[in-house]
Amino acid sequence: MNASTSVPPATGHLTGDYRRFNQLIQKIISSERIITDPLRTLAYGTDASFYRLIPQVVVRVDNEQEVADLLRAAETCQVAVTFRAAGTSLSGQAISDSVLVLATTAWQEREVLDDGGRIRLQPGVIGKHANSILAPFEKKIGPDPASINAAMIGGIAANNASGMCCGTAQNSYKTVAGMRIIFQDGTLLDTADEASRSNFLQKRGDLVEGIEALSREVKANEVLAGRIRDKFKIKNTTGYSLNALVDFTDPIDIITHLMIGSEGTLGFISEITYQTVDEYANKASALVFFPTIREACQATELLRQQPVAAVELMDRPALRSVEDKEGMPEYLKELPEGTTALLVETRAAEKETLSANIESISGALAEASLVLPLKFTDKLEEYTLYWNIRKGLFPAVGAVRETGTTVIIEDVAFPISHLADAAVELQQAMARFNYDGIIFGHALEGNLHFVFTQDFGSQEEIDRYEGLMQEVCTMVVEKYGGSLKAEHGTGRNMAPFVEYEWGRDAYLLMKRIKALFDPNELLNPGVILNANPKAHLENLKPLAATHPLVDKCIECGFCEPQCPSRDITLSPRQRITVQREISRLKVTKEDPDRLKSLVDAYKYYGDATCAADGLCQSACPVGINTGELTKALRNDEVAGTYKENIAKLSARNFAALTGAIRMSLKGVDLVHKLLGTDAMDKIATTARKISGNRLPLWTPEMPKGIKKRGYAPIKANGGGQVVYFPSCISRTMGPSRGDGEQRVLMEITETVLKRAGYGVIYPKETDSLCCGVPFQSKGAFRQADEKSADLERVLLEASGGGLVPILCDTSPCIYRMREAMDKRLRLYEPVEFIHDFILPKLDITPLKETVTIHTTCSSEKMGLAPKFLAVAQACASEVVVPEKVGCCGFAGDRGFTFPELNASALKDLRPAVEGGGAVAGYSNSRTCEIGLSLHSGIHYRSIMYLIEQCSR
């Protein structure tokens, strides 16, 4: 948050050791990165599990020195510390009722080494982004969790997360090549640096000698060493990585591998280097249906001998959970009861090898009894559909659960020889306890997930859950010798059962490891090792009903990378968490003061800084658009108040309103011209500060007001007709004073249309028309609908009932129009119209320069990113698409009123633009272009300007 924020920093009510700790860290960490207020500590008390703890203090750390100093302060004050990256963990290992340390935004360094053979990563790098920079080398990191688009490297390594294809051969334990570790006492070890290793051996001789002694002791105990080796032949994240003690001799290697899967209980991983694995370009998949789950599991034993990359099991209830979803094959509905599918994928570097793989796998299954004929496909769209079935299972259960219940995904593994019997028994156990759940998983590794919905609102329901888990534990451990946690980490969920699974000797060994690394038990206490036999039944997360738009949220955190406000205020997950608590407190009336503090703070943290762009929906497993919640809450605040009267007046006098905006922008530009940029900036900043940030923030990219234009029709010249509706933004905002291109967008658009031979029809009463977006975003829903209806009527008339295509020059407007208007209208925004109609009719001479593009949120939601890229590539020699830039955060006028949102959302833009060598930027919304220009160092304009320049 910068100085322009319009809310004072909130302070919490710390006491005792926490007050002292807070005073100590204030000396080493800037105050805006220390969070103690009730709203945000509540928001950060949530991870993807079904547990909740509310931290006393939340700290955003920026570098290793801060982590080390913070840990020393924690030791001085004897307060516990928990580390968190993305918080997508499922077993409660990323929550704390003490100090929660966030390692996200500042921990983004990544470096490809050895021509893709290795990659160095800081813990805040999202797994997907690591793979994207490895893609040109046809490599990827080994771990491939389902959460890879949101999960960060710190959590992936600390939980030894695996996934669909990595198995036990390519997980973090097997592919780690180096690590930087900060220990509980603040000591730093770089395992790849000889000087650091030598210094560590001297400074922490106690830890080194203790680890060496444990390793010798375990190796000398053949029974224990054998048990450890056996336990890690299958996926296993229950307890510590004891295999490090038998797999390695060098104490540094042992320490490195003990850190994998340690869930933040032994130290902080500030950097990890991975050996990468091959990412083959040629893939083929088959969805193979067996009459029973037993036969599917038995077939998996055959497939382990074949060249398969993944074998994913889905039982009949799992398939049923997705069969009615859009795009699913019709035959799913017709499958007999008991049918179980295996999704089999094979990969190869060459197509010939892929064909040989398919032939071999098909031969192995030739004698199997199948419900449908076996058919492999190497077509991207077809095997993507198969994988969408698999990926949709967990969210499908979450989407249909009753409000107030949580969705639980448990995670077990069995030796493959027992998989068939265990899967049948698991189905039977769920039925005995009346759970209508589903079973799916990574069958190739004997790893099954079972998913069900759970109400923790009564003791009876808690007892039912406990009964199921006790039976599952007995079956997994005693009957089949499996793992209670295969890949989701121990966390709080399975901590009470670690000794039960491993036995007394191994459990005591784990306690000794913990004591060596963390003698005062200050690092993530209660996780992995927990003496409380009921820990898994405590601190259960309440999921109070708050609004139908978001009640299905499972708080997984997949939405967070998409959110422009995630690093300054709240993410979508956190907004829902806070709203749930507000709703709960309104019902229980148990703490009026806390309720008031949450409601008051939410105005800024939840409402004012929400861009309401809706991109969170694209990543949400259950399709929630938290932006719609924000708009709905704004509507509740507007309806029946003076704000609605203002909206009515604005809607009825829209031409006058836009005229006033034009005049205001002209006046501001005149002052800018007279004073100069530096003086204008100082005066504007001072005026905003004096106003309590009520005045919009002026920047050098503030647009000029344009001259009022006429809307004379243009005759066609062989290209047909188009109705051109210039948005209210285009009718008011021109280029900024510093832009070398001073022609307005309407002029540019007319020029391009005429070159393509199009005749232009303008709607009647253009100056009074609006699509409704400005009203909808501010919660004035009735006025938004009225303006949409007026525009719809005029466009139907202008287009001959939809016969003539309609072009609007601003993508958010088209998105709203497509949602709200008559489906006969053929509505296009600039990129789509250029791609589909303009390019084929123009002679394009590509510019010999590098440009960058920004696809707006609306265009992303309309699926237009590929067309935007195609248009740009047709017009420039190189195109840069900044990977880590999503929504720009300008959000209509919020870039003026809450500029910190825009600044935070685009913090990664300038490095991407400068690194790529782009000299100009293009988008398709004028307000977005203002913020993009301000934070990139180059001017952004409509894509129409690029087309006009290339077609002269």
Side-chain angles (χ1 to χ4, degrees), residues 720-727 749 753 758-764 766 769 771 788 790-811 813-815 817-818 821-834 836-838 862 864 944:
Q721 297 272 35
V722 62
V723 175
Y724 174 31
F725 170 56
S727 71
T749 302
L753 291 173
Y758 276 96
V760 178
I761 303 168
Y762 282 101
K764 295 179 181 178
T766 293
L769 298 176
C771 66
S788 292
D790 289 344
L791 179 58
E792 177 187 77
R793 171 180 52 80
V794 175
L795 291 180
L796 280 169
E797 179 183 346
S799 66
L803 294 176
V804 178
I806 298 163
L807 169 66
C808 177
D809 51 29
T810 303
S811 63
C813 300
I814 282 293
Y815 186 77
M817 290 158 69
R818 285 182 174 177
M821 294 186 183
D822 194 309
K823 301 308 177 188
R824 289 177 294 169
L825 295 174
R826 298 159 56 200
L827 301 162
Y828 295 90
E829 59 88 76
V831 163
E832 192 171 20
F833 194 80
I834 290 168
D836 293 356
F837 300 109
I838 297 290
M862 290 186 285
L864 297 179
M944 279 289 182

Side-chain angles (χ1 to χ4, degrees), residues 590-636:
E590 64 188 58
D591 194 340
D593 291 339
R594 183 163 181 263
L595 172 61
K596 184 178 185 303
S597 73
L598 293 179
V599 170
D600 290 346
Y602 191 85
K603 291 175 184 176
Y604 174 76
Y605 289 106
D607 179 9
T609 51
C610 178
D613 58 86
L615 277 188
C616 47
Q617 184 177 24
S618 66
C620 176
V622 292
I624 290 171
N625 182 340
T626 312
E628 293 300 318
L629 171 67
T630 296
K631 293 173 187 176
L633 294 175
R634 290 172 185 169
N635 180 244
D636 292 343

Side-chain angles (χ1 to χ4, degrees), residues 179-196:
M179 192 181 286
R180 288 176 69 89
I181 310 164
I182 302 175
F183 295 88
Q184 183 268 322
D185 65 347
T187 303
L188 172 68
L189 168 64
D190 183 345
T191 67
D193 181 80
E194 285 302 323
S196 178

Side-chain angles (χ1 to χ4, degrees), residues 336-376:
E337 194 62 32
T339 299
T340 300
L342 292 181
L343 174 53
V344 181
E345 179 162 292
T346 183
R347 303 174 178 178
E350 293 84 24
K351 288 187 176 182
E352 295 77 11
T353 305
L354 185 71
S355 297
N357 289 353
I358 293 172
E359 184 177 350
S360 178
I361 297 167
S362 300
L365 295 176
E367 301 301 319
S369 174
L370 302 181
V371 175
L372 294 175
L374 172 63
K375 179 186 175 184
F376 271 93

